[in-house]
Amino acid sequence: MAALSLLPALPAASLPRTEHSWGGVEFFKDITLQKQRERERRHFLSMLAHDMKNPVLTSIGFLTRILKGKAGPLTDAQRSTLELVLEDQRKLEVLVKDFLEYSRLVNQEDKPVLAPFSMKDALDKSIGSGKAKYDEKAVQVAFDKPAGDPIIQADTIMINRVITNLLDNALKYTNRGGKITVNPVDRPDDILVQITDSGAGIANEHLPHIFDAFYRVNPKSDGSGLGLSIVKKIVEAHGGKIWVESKLGEGSTFSFTLPKQDVRVAPGERAGTVHCSTGS
Ligand code: ADP
């Protein structure tokens, strides 16, 4: 592998014509071609999602108007059919929007806009604004407020997306009467945030894939399967790490770090994800 990694630095003509090295050049060409195809595939998919967005939004607008009776009275049968169509269109809208957001992060079109950021405030606001949802499911949220409140450099909109997504998942996969604990820890070099739920947990076999795009433990469940991959790209774009620990039937802890100094890296350039479990 060490010899192969030098190949790009050497002009092909300077390589000795042994069976082995020519094989290496072919291998290198294959990888380049593979990367180019992957880029083209991603470009095609994001163009497709982009072109789908407006028609989906337009049809949601029309369906909403028709359901409000703006095109005349509806029979019960027409109404219930149109409601089903509208529900499907809304799912498609979430999928298209999530995919576009994911593509922009992968292609580094969306880079963090750094500004002073208080994790304590962001968590406080996010938990406060979700109170009605937690109360409806009788889920208790315990926020271990840290003594200090270090101000870091981060993109407020992006990190709020991370917090909301992890909290929404914690609520979604926790039964009525369950508990969610939010624990920010001020460490010398970074801030660690841990969100623990007493929910369904995730089996060991799924843990290595949980941050992959479109991965859902139950393929029939609602959701695009893009939420955690977006979260991972955002954390990595800030130079942080994200990982999960889970025990089936007992709950999960999602943890992420954000560095205190500005060490942004391109998404995917850093081994930012650690998967581990405490059994299933
Ligand atoms: P989705 O938008 O479909 O929920 P995510 O990327 O947010 O997709 O999550 C991927 C999968 O990870 C989900 O389908 C779910 O099975 C699992 N998952 C995420 N968070 C939790 C959690 N807190 N507890 C149990 N399973 C979870």
Side-chain angles (χ1 to χ4, degrees):
M1 281 312 281
L4 259 186
S5 67
L6 286 175
L7 277 173
L10 294 171
S14 71
L15 291 167
R17 289 186 182 208
T18 65
E19 200 181 316
H20 177 75
S21 63
W22 279 115
V25 171
E26 289 307 314
F27 177 76
F28 176 57
K29 276 189 196 155
D30 274 359
I31 296 279
T32 310
L33 199 65
Q34 222 173 306
K35 277 191 176 164
Q36 187 177 335
R37 284 200 185 126
E38 177 58 23
R39 263 198 304 272
E40 281 167 6
R41 194 180 65 86
R42 276 209 309 259
H43 181 67
F44 171 75
L45 285 174
S46 58
M47 295 279 288
L48 187 71
H50 196 264
D51 287 352
M52 278 171 76
K53 192 174 145 195
N54 282 340
V56 170
L57 290 178
T58 308
S59 60
I60 288 177
F62 278 131
L63 284 165
T64 311
R65 281 175 65 80
I66 296 170
L67 279 164
K68 279 184 180 159
K70 299 260 160 90
L74 294 171
T75 64
D76 286 350
Q78 286 169 333
R79 176 171 297 281
S80 55
T81 307
L82 287 177
E83 274 166 356
L84 286 178
V85 178
L86 181 60
E87 200 181 307
D88 279 349
Q89 290 292 307
R90 289 224 160 99
K91 282 184 197 158
L92 196 56
E93 183 195 6
V94 172
L95 184 63
V96 168
K97 283 187 173 166
D98 279 359
F99 184 75
L100 285 173
E101 187 178 356
Y102 176 74
S103 302
R104 284 195 301 269
L105 285 162
V106 170
N107 299 331
Q108 293 178 53
E109 289 161 29
D110 270 0
K111 293 192 177 148
V113 179
L114 300 182
F117 178 86
S118 153
M119 185 60 79
K120 193 173 171 180
D121 278 0
L123 290 169
D124 218 6
K125 277 188 198 142
S126 187
I127 294 166
S129 64
K131 191 177 177 314
K133 288 185 285 185
Y134 306 120
D135 287 353
E136 198 185 319
K137 221 174 158 183
V139 167
Q140 186 200 336
V141 182
F143 179 23
D144 297 338
K145 283 191 188 163
D149 183 20
I151 302 298
I152 57 164
Q153 293 293 313
D155 185 310
T156 309
I157 295 174
M158 285 190 179
I159 301 303
N160 279 336
R161 168 81 148 118
V162 170
I163 295 169
T164 309
N165 199 291
L166 295 178
L167 282 173
D168 282 354
N169 276 351
L171 180 65
K172 185 169 167 186
Y173 298 102
T174 296
N175 286 333
R176 241 191 119 63
K179 187 175 177 184
I180 297 171
T181 306
V182 181
N183 185 21
V185 186
D186 179 10
R187 306 197 301 183
D189 297 331
D190 59 21
I191 293 177
L192 164 72
V193 179
Q194 297 190 294
I195 299 181
T196 301
D197 64 66
S198 64
I202 303 162
N204 267 344
E205 76 235 49
H206 297 294
L207 287 173
H209 312 290
I210 215 76
F211 294 97
D212 292 351
F214 297 110
Y215 194 84
R216 285 172 299 171
V217 171
N218 174 4
K220 287 187 187 149
S221 70
D222 274 357
S224 62
L226 281 167
L228 286 179
S229 52
I230 291 173
V231 161
K232 176 180 181 257
K233 293 281 174 233
I234 292 176
V235 170
E236 287 180 354
H238 282 78
K241 293 182 183 180
I242 182 159
W243 67 98
V244 58
E245 293 159 82
S246 190
K247 195 165 181 187
L248 197 61
E250 290 189 19
S252 311
T253 297
F254 283 83
S255 310
F256 68 93
T257 60
L258 290 179
K260 284 184 173 167
Q261 75 275 33
D262 175 10
V263 279
R264 277 178 288 174
V265 290
E269 270 183 14
R270 182 183 170 119
T273 312
V274 182
H275 305 285
C276 46
S277 76
T278 49
S280 64

